[in-house]
Amino acid sequence: MNLDMLRPEICLAVTAVAVIAVDLFCRIKWLVNITSVAGLLASICMALLLIGNSEQSIGNGLFILDNYAIYFKLLFLGIALLVILASTDYVKRLPKLHGEFHALLLTATLGAMLTAAAHDIIAMLLSIELTAISLYALVAMLKNTKSNESAVKYILLGAVNSAVLLFGLALIFGFSGSTSFTTIAAAVSTIQVGNIADHAGLLFGLVLTLAGFAFKIAAVPFHMWAPDVYEGAPTPITLFLSTVSKIAGLSILMRFMLTAFIQTDSLINNLGIILAIVSALTMTAGNLIAITQHNIKRLLAYSSIAQSGYMLIVVAVAAIGLHSAASISNLLYYLVAFAIAEVAVFSVIIIASRNADMDDISDYAGLAKRSPLLACAMTLGLLSLMGLPPLAGFMGKFFVFSQAAQNGLLWLVLIAVVNSVISAYYYLKIVRTIWMDAPASADAVKTSLAPKLALLISCTGILLLGILPALLNKAAEWGSFLALWN
């Protein structure tokens, strides 16, 4: 079964149980944080030890260990660690749910790690649902009207999405007779050029499957859940949703598409064009609607939707460019640049709203006078999301746009550049409010060491990866190597 290759996931599962035990039997609540952080660090060490192992099947083909899976394991664990550090003060608002918050966050991370390594429809569905069910509970954790409403919407729409995804995958299973990605690829490869239209069931199943993945990454037209859920969820969970949940969806979309359907050139090329169109619509809708927002979490929700559009450029290029490893390495770089920028921005929101919600952009007026550290960190994160040089976000967009132009998608690059200019309006609006408006309050914004550490790590990453992109390029190139291509 090779289950020893799932040591990071097993360690994380044990940590989730340990967190509940500590919360039940120990009155010192900060030990819950220590247990979570220790478990994540142990999982990171175990994931690092997997580097250098040859690609191999796990659990009779349910999962696979390759460079791609290990890269995402480390990314998810790193983001989860930063989320927990940033939320150290915030969770004091949840005194009766402290242990549950940490345990569910760990199980959601576990589901994301398994999703990136899934190599079978059944394993993929179970992994996706593990993350989703954990997030349903986390979104409702504030137990106020807005949080409860967001959770209900998320559960209902998530249930519909799960049904759509399951139906699509069932049709693909009906065509191939197997749930294994490799066997599906072999069945699809038997389709002769020009005869794809004769397999309506397969095409319909693929459309439904792509719709299910589009929901997970909040791509148009399946983005409608994101603004309400982001607004109503506890701010650390909003950060987790915008990073780990989205990245997990992209990781399995890329693996599924390039593993199961790469053998039929005409089919994968058509999928690439469809994804390019969805990318253009997603980034445009996200940026245009973000301009009108006054609630900072809703604005960042639409910003995150636009970011999904940029990410889909890489998926489209990978399809049209026929499993270009360079395309995948660009995506892996962009995901890290996006994640650390989101951590920087949301960490400031988490710190500022630890005692009371600060949801309106005007609440951050004069933040520079109340806390220069938080103002600098938030500005750095926003400018990186905008794509301003010499920050990590600029290099991420540069790599993505260059690769798209080289693969005949210049029209999509032009749309993306225009959208980046549009996004500057609402990002700079927040920056101006922080630095130029009169303070909303005279009180200084204080925070403990752990959230400051999360800010320091994320801001350092934004600067270093922008100035020295080679620090991550080699790792991204290594992680882009899918087992199928051996």
Side-chain angles (χ1 to χ4, degrees):
M1 292 286 285
N2 259 1
L3 292 182
D4 60 317
M5 294 295 102
L6 293 177
R7 287 191 298 268
E9 289 84 352
I10 294 171
C11 178
L12 207 59
V14 171
T15 303
V17 176
V19 163
I20 293 295
V22 171
D23 185 55
L24 280 174
F25 300 112
C26 185
R27 293 185 179 181
I28 306 175
K29 295 303 179 185
W30 58 265
L31 286 177
V32 173
N33 297 54
I34 297 296
T35 305
S36 296
V37 170
L40 284 166
L41 290 174
S43 295
I44 289 172
C45 291
M46 291 180 183
L48 289 171
L49 292 174
L50 294 176
I51 296 175
N53 281 278
S54 59
E55 288 89 5
Q56 52 193 289
S57 175
I58 303 172
N60 294 326
L62 291 177
F63 301 98
I64 195 163
L65 179 71
D66 55 9
N67 297 352
Y68 184 83
I70 296 172
Y71 186 95
F72 279 103
K73 290 177 197 286
L74 291 169
L75 179 55
F76 294 143
L77 289 168
I79 296 172
L81 180 61
L82 292 176
V83 171
I84 287 177
L85 290 175
S87 60
T88 300
D89 295 333
Y90 187 96
V91 293
K92 294 175 182 177
R93 298 177 62 181
L94 309 167
K96 296 181 179 179
L97 297 171
H98 198 171
E100 289 83 348
F101 175 87
H102 284 269
L104 288 168
L105 198 64
L106 293 172
T107 56
T109 306
L110 171 61
M113 293 168 65
L114 292 172
T115 298
H119 207 254
D120 184 277
I121 287 175
I122 295 173
M124 178 178 71
L125 285 171
L126 291 175
S127 302
I128 289 173
E129 289 307 309
L130 176 59
T131 298
I133 291 171
S134 300
L135 289 172
Y136 296 154
L138 287 166
V139 168
M141 202 154 275
L142 288 177
K143 293 188 176 182
N144 57 29
T145 302
K146 189 177 290 187
S147 178
N148 292 340
E149 180 183 345
S150 296
V152 170
K153 288 180 179 178
Y154 192 26
I155 291 170
L156 292 176
L157 291 173
V160 173
N161 172 72
S162 296
V164 170
L165 181 60
L166 181 59
F167 186 35
L169 292 171
L171 290 173
I172 293 173
F173 168 75
F175 170 81
S176 63
S178 174
T179 57
S180 170
F181 291 178
T182 304
T183 308
I184 293 171
V188 172
S189 67
T190 62
I191 301 174
Q192 296 181 357
V193 177
N195 291 341
I196 294 176
D198 296 335
H199 302 277
L202 174 65
L203 292 176
F204 187 48
L206 185 56
V207 168
L208 292 178
T209 302
L210 291 178
F213 289 140
F215 178 91
K216 296 299 181 185
I217 64 175
V220 171
F222 306 100
H223 66 289
M224 69 291 291
W225 62 274
D228 289 338
V229 174
Y230 281 32
E231 181 183 1
T235 308
I237 303 311
T238 303
L239 169 57
F240 192 90
L241 277 165
S242 69
T243 52
V244 172
S245 179
K246 182 187 296 291
I247 293 171
L250 276 163
S251 71
I252 193 60
L253 168 60
M254 183 73 91
R255 184 186 287 281
F256 181 72
M257 186 181 71
L258 295 185
T259 302
F261 292 95
I262 198 65
Q263 303 298 332
T264 306
D265 292 354
S266 57
L267 177 57
I268 199 70
N269 284 335
N270 288 332
L271 285 178
I273 297 299
I274 293 171
L275 289 169
I277 294 171
V278 172
S279 168
L281 293 174
T282 300
M283 69 178 81
T284 303
N287 283 318
L288 290 179
I289 302 175
I291 291 175
T292 65
Q293 302 302 311
H294 299 286
N295 182 290
I296 195 165
K297 288 168 74 174
R298 290 187 73 87
L299 183 149
L300 290 172
Y302 284 109
S303 163
S304 181
I305 291 168
Q307 295 291 334
S308 293
Y310 302 135
M311 295 171 194
L312 282 173
I313 294 176
V314 186
V315 185
V317 170
I320 294 172
L322 295 182
H323 64 276
S324 166
S327 300
I328 298 182
S329 67
N330 289 336
L331 176 63
L332 299 186
Y333 186 100
Y334 190 91
L335 291 177
V336 174
F338 164 73
I340 57 177
E342 288 280 283
V343 169
V345 173
F346 274 103
S347 292
V348 175
I349 300 174
I350 292 167
I351 293 167
S353 61
R354 63 175 179 170
N355 295 321
D357 290 330
M358 291 177 62
D359 289 341
D360 200 273
I361 295 174
S362 61
D363 294 332
Y364 295 83
L367 181 64
K369 296 181 177 65
R370 300 173 61 195
S371 176
L373 172 65
L374 297 185
C376 289
M378 193 167 192
T379 300
L380 201 62
L382 291 169
L383 294 181
S384 183
L385 288 172
M386 186 176 77
L388 190 73
L391 305 179
F394 169 77
M395 294 308 303
K397 286 186 176 180
F398 175 77
F399 292 143
V400 169
F401 296 173
S402 299
Q403 190 70 23
Q406 293 170 16
N407 281 269
L409 290 177
L410 183 60
W411 63 272
L412 185 57
V413 173
L414 293 176
I415 293 174
V417 171
V418 170
N419 271 281
S420 295
V421 174
I422 293 172
S423 72
Y425 173 81
Y426 59 82
Y427 287 132
L428 292 177
K429 179 175 70 172
I430 302 174
V431 173
R432 186 204 60 171
T433 300
I434 291 171
W435 290 95
M436 301 184 68
D437 288 2
S441 170
D443 299 332
V445 181
K446 298 179 181 180
T447 184
S448 61
L449 179 61
K452 288 181 180 178
L453 182 58
L455 281 176
L456 177 63
I457 294 171
S458 57
C459 291
T460 302
I462 290 171
L463 290 171
L464 281 180
L465 296 184
I467 298 170
L468 300 170
L471 292 174
L472 184 61
N473 268 336
K474 291 296 182 182
E477 291 172 3
W478 171 84
S480 68
F481 195 65
L482 283 165
L484 177 69
W485 302 351
N486 276 341

